[in-house]
């Protein structure tokens, strides 16, 4: 389990950059031309990839399937995005975000079910 902390931390950092690349221009460049927003996003996305690629390679070497990696990524995305949305964009929290998170936890269970049941 300790071997998993490193790639999971890489995924969290990657998601911070991804969220900023996808949505940061709405906060910081909302009056800028769209080409500047695209350039802003692509430059930040380069940093995202610098963390995402090694994380996925590590998890793949640990025997994770693509489905397991993707579902884990989605859970981390929600864990990063909701605080980003609440703090930076001052969006109200909705109980629906909690329900969405519970659905993702169900997805985690199903993609890891064979490992959970055999442990």
């Amino acid at each position: 389990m300790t071997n998993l902390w490193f790639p999971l931390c890489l995924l969290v950092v990657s998601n911070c950059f991804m969220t900023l690349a996808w949505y940061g221009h709405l906060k910081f460049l909302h009056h800028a031309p769209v080409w500047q927003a695209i350039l802003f996003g692509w430059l930040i996305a380069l940093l995202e990839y610098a963390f995402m690629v090694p994380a996925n390679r590590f998890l793949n070497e640990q025997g994770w399937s693509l489905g397991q990696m993707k579902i884990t990524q989605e859970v981390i995305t929600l864990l990063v995005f909701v605080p980003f949305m609440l703090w930076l964009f001052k969006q109200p929290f909705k109980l629906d975000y909690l329900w969405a998170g519970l659905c993702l936890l169900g997805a985690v269970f199903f993609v890891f079910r064979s490992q959970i049941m055999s442990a």
Side-chain angles (χ1 to χ4, degrees):
M1 183 62 160
T2 57
N3 289 343
L4 292 179
W5 284 112
F6 180 67
L8 293 178
C9 288
L10 289 176
L11 288 174
V12 169
V13 172
S14 169
N15 263 277
C16 291
F17 285 119
M18 178 190 72
T19 302
L20 188 60
W22 284 12
Y23 303 103
H25 64 91
L26 298 174
K27 177 79 172 181
F28 302 114
L29 298 174
H30 59 279
H31 294 301
V34 72
W35 71 266
Q36 288 179 356
I38 292 169
L39 183 61
F40 171 81
W42 273 97
L43 290 173
I44 294 172
L46 180 63
L47 292 171
E48 175 212 345
Y49 277 55
F51 290 93
M52 177 67 71
V53 170
N56 284 334
R57 283 183 170 239
F58 185 86
L59 292 173
N60 183 262
E61 290 168 4
Q62 296 296 312
W64 285 38
S65 71
L66 290 177
Q68 290 170 330
M69 287 188 281
K70 183 59 181 173
I71 292 299
T72 300
Q73 172 65 30
E74 294 303 328
V75 170
I76 291 172
T77 296
L78 189 61
L79 291 173
V80 169
F81 181 76
V82 170
F84 179 86
M85 175 190 68
L86 297 173
W87 176 68
L88 192 60
F89 282 90
K90 308 292 189 235
Q91 297 286 309
F93 180 80
K94 295 181 181 177
L95 201 52
D96 290 341
Y97 304 138
L98 177 63
W99 305 136
L102 290 174
C103 289
L104 280 174
L105 288 179
V108 168
F109 170 77
F110 286 113
V111 298
F112 288 97
R113 180 170 46 167
S114 60
Q115 282 102 331
I116 294 169
M117 297 303 182
S118 66

